Amino acid sequence: METYDVMRTTFAARDFTDDEVSDEVVYRILDNARFAPSGGNRQGGRVIIIKNPDIKRQLGHLCLPGLRVYREQIRAGESPWQSVTKTVVDVEAVAADVSIPTIIPMFDNLQEIPLVMVVAVDLNFVASMDQNLDRIGVISGGSIYPLAWNILLGARNEGLGGTLTTLIATAEPAAQELLGLKSHEAVAALLTIGKPKKQLTKLTRKSVEEFVTIDRADGQAFTG
Ligand SMILES: Cc1cc2nc3c(=O)[nH]c(=O)nc-3n(C[C@H](O)[C@H](O)[C@H](O)COP(=O)(O)O)c2cc1C
């Protein structure tokens, strides 16, 4: 595929056919995705391909408490899981409330997803330049998400689709235990990949003019 076509059509696929993804294709995707950059080229990323259906199922279920919080924060008119203002939601109570419906069904049955990968990063090798700022960290993710996104771009190039999900981080200690990761190996993403039942081609995104300005954040919109 053309690079720009891949970039414009890699949507969040969550509904897949039963088609398996062969190890040969997975290897090819990873063998290209590995050229993603990381801070100082320290390459602290690691990928775990989950083949065991029971581990897939357990990982999906670990995402459910965080997903309930996500749902209730949307219902309360909040941007879910934002870190700037205090939530009105009782996070602990909501997380434990199994009567709250699952709004993203794939997490109930992750064992049905053809290809599940967990992307982790060893924080010993991450330059967290914003660690002394009085806000949530952002920079560390820059050393791992290019790899995760490259995997999804590669999957799209192979006629597949998938979603970068992060709810698993809300249950990181349990995920680390399940996967044999150490406490300094952060769980950055869980990727769900397969052959999408439907391929979206028109993604809803802001135009360049809506988020690009000249010289200052309050500068003139860039129109090209
Ligand atoms: C950092 C990040 C975290 C995300 N976390 C989740 C998640 O936990 N669960 C999920 O179903 N989708 C998750 N997504 C997928 C987004 O919801 C999706 O990319 C966005 O809604 C755009 O969807 P579209 O490409 O189909 O338009 C995440 C995406 C990103 C980039």
Side-chain angles (χ1 to χ4, degrees):
M1 285 180 72
E2 287 286 324
T3 306
Y4 283 157
D5 282 341
V6 172
M7 288 165 69
R8 291 179 84 104
T9 61
T10 301
F11 72 108
R14 298 187 183 88
D15 203 9
F16 306 106
T17 66
D18 293 334
D19 294 6
E20 279 183 22
V21 184
S22 71
D23 280 353
E24 190 192 344
V25 169
V26 175
Y27 190 90
R28 193 159 59 230
I29 291 170
L30 293 167
D31 193 31
N32 287 287
R34 70 191 172 90
F35 290 95
S38 58
N41 200 22
R42 299 308 298 269
Q43 305 181 56
R46 56 182 308 173
V47 176
I48 304 174
I49 301 168
I50 312 297
K51 297 215 174 202
N52 182 319
D54 191 51
I55 299 179
K56 285 186 185 177
R57 187 185 55 77
Q58 289 186 59
L59 285 169
H61 287 189
L62 286 177
C63 295
L64 296 179
L67 187 55
R68 291 181 199 121
V69 174
Y70 189 98
R71 176 187 189 265
E72 293 308 305
Q73 289 181 329
I74 288 180
R75 281 160 59 88
E78 297 179 359
S79 185
W81 283 103
Q82 59 81 28
S83 63
V84 179
T85 53
K86 196 173 157 17
T87 179
V88 298
V89 167
D90 181 342
V91 171
E92 258 181 48
V94 162
D97 185 352
V98 294
S99 72
I100 295 172
T102 306
I103 51 168
I104 304 176
M106 75 171 178
F107 290 110
D108 273 331
N109 294 299
L110 214 64
Q111 71 280 5
E112 291 172 5
I113 303 293
L115 174 60
V116 174
M117 292 191 220
V118 171
V119 181
V121 62
D122 186 335
L123 295 173
N124 284 306
F125 299 104
V126 173
S128 304
M129 304 293 189
D130 56 353
Q131 62 184 275
N132 296 323
L133 299 181
D134 190 18
R135 62 154 171 76
I136 204 91
V138 170
I139 303 299
S140 311
S143 282
I144 191 62
Y145 290 110
L147 174 64
W149 190 241
N150 258 6
I151 293 171
L152 289 177
L153 293 177
R156 172 73 184 116
N157 192 51
E158 295 283 348
L160 302 170
T163 299
L164 189 164
T165 79
T166 48
L167 280 163
I168 190 65
T170 64
E172 186 175 81
Q176 285 167 328
E177 166 106 37
L178 183 63
L179 301 173
L181 289 165
K182 307 268 179 0
S183 59
H184 59 268
E185 293 174 306
V187 178
L190 181 153
L191 307 180
T192 55
I193 296 175
K195 187 153 185 48
K197 285 193 179 157
K198 261 204 254 163
Q199 172 61 48
L200 300 191
T201 49
K202 284 218 160 114
L203 310 192
T204 309
R205 299 290 189 266
K206 289 179 183 170
S207 65
V208 170
E209 292 78 356
E210 283 174 284
F211 71 98
V212 184
T213 54
I214 299 170
D215 289 338
R216 286 175 50 90
D218 57 359
Q220 204 186 333
F222 178 69
T223 56

